[in-house]
C-alpha cells in the first residue's frame, strides 16, 4: 500500500493505537493495546476465520459463509466474539443472521505498525 | 511503504509465508505459520522488547540496551528466545554479548499481510 493511500485511510476515521514498530520503543500502554490485537490473530482458527471474513465479498460475511474451518459452530462463534472484542471485526444483525466485517481502517492501522522507515 | 519498496524488500530474500489477509481464506498451514508470528507479538512485554530492538540504532541491540521494561533479565532473555523461535528476531554473539536484530524482510512480510487491495 502506498503511503498516500495509507494516510487517506488513516485520515478517514481510524485513530492508530501506536507508531510503527521501528519508530521507538512502545510504552506499556501502547504495548497493551497492540498486543491485544496481535494476540487475537495469534490463533490459527481465529486467523482462518478472520481471513475468511476479510476476503469475502464486500469484506463482510455471516457465520453461514465462513464455517468451513473444521470446528463446531459454537467454536466459530466464540472465536468471532474474541475478534470483535479485540476490535478487529464489527458485527451487525440482519434478520436471523449476524454479519461480520473487517473495517479497512483496522487493516490500515495494522499496516501502519509494520511501516519500514525510508532508507 | 510503497508497493515498489515492498516488492524490493520481498525480492531481497524473504519468502512471505502467506498472501494478504484480504486476498483469500488462509489454508490451515498458512494460518499455523502466520498465527505463530502474531502470537509471539501478542504479549505486551515481548512487544516492548521487539520495538526496543527494532527502533535501536542500526536495527540491532544487545540485552544490555533493552532491559528497561520492568522485568528481570532472565525474563527478558526468555522473551527474546520466543521472538527468535517465531522468526521475528535473529541473534549473533559478539564477545560477551548477544546482539538481536529485526530483519527488514520480516517487517516487509508482515506488512504484506496487511496490504489493502486497490480500490
Amino acid at each position: 500500500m502506498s503511503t498516500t493511500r495509507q494516510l487517506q485511510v488513516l485520515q478517514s476515521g481510524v485513530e492508530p493505537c501506536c507508531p510503527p514498530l521501528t519508530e521507538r520503543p512502545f510504552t506499556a500502554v501502547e504495548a497493551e493495546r497492540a498486543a491485544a490485537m496481535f494476540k487475537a490473530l495469534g490463533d490459527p482458527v481465529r486467523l482462518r476465520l478472520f481471513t475468511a471474513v476479510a476476503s469475502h465479498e464486500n469484506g463482510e460475511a455471516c457465520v453461514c459463509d465462513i464455517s468451513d474451518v473444521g470446528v463446531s459452530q459454537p467454536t466459530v462463534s466464540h472465536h468471532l466474539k474474541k475478534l470483535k472484542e479485540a476490535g478487529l471485526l464489527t458485527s451487525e444483525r440482519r434478520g436471523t443472521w449476524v454479519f461480520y466485517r473487517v473495517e479497512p481502517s483496522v487493516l490500515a492501522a495494522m499496516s501502519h505498525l509494520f511501516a519500514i522507515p525510508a532508507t
Side-chain angles (χ1 to χ4, degrees), chain A:
Chain A
M1 181 172 56
S2 73
T3 306
T4 309
R5 164 91 180 121
Q6 193 173 57
L7 284 175
Q8 281 171 347
V9 176
L10 286 172
Q11 285 165 356
S12 74
V14 72
E15 186 187 338
C17 83
C18 314
L21 298 174
T22 56
E23 195 167 294
R24 58 168 172 73
F26 277 10
T27 65
V29 171
E30 289 167 344
E32 286 283 347
R33 290 181 65 186
M37 291 192 293
F38 288 128
K39 189 175 179 184
L41 295 176
D43 175 275
V45 172
R46 272 204 295 279
L47 191 52
R48 290 184 75 188
L49 290 170
F50 184 83
T51 57
V53 174
S55 64
H56 204 258
E57 200 178 339
N58 298 322
E60 71 170 18
C62 75
V63 175
C64 55
D65 294 318
I66 56 168
S67 50
D68 187 25
V69 291
V71 294
S72 68
Q73 181 93 14
T75 302
V76 169
S77 295
H78 165 77
H79 283 306
L80 290 171
K81 190 178 166 205
K82 290 277 180 190
L83 288 165
K84 263 187 71 176
E85 286 170 356
L88 294 169
L89 292 182
T90 56
S91 70
E92 185 188 349
R93 179 173 286 279
R94 292 185 213 143
T96 42
W97 291 106
V98 177
F99 285 78
Y100 292 88
R101 120 174 248 109
V102 180
E103 294 298 330
S105 58
V106 169
L107 291 175
M110 297 292 276
S111 179
H112 182 64
L113 290 176
F114 293 101
I116 296 178
T119 52

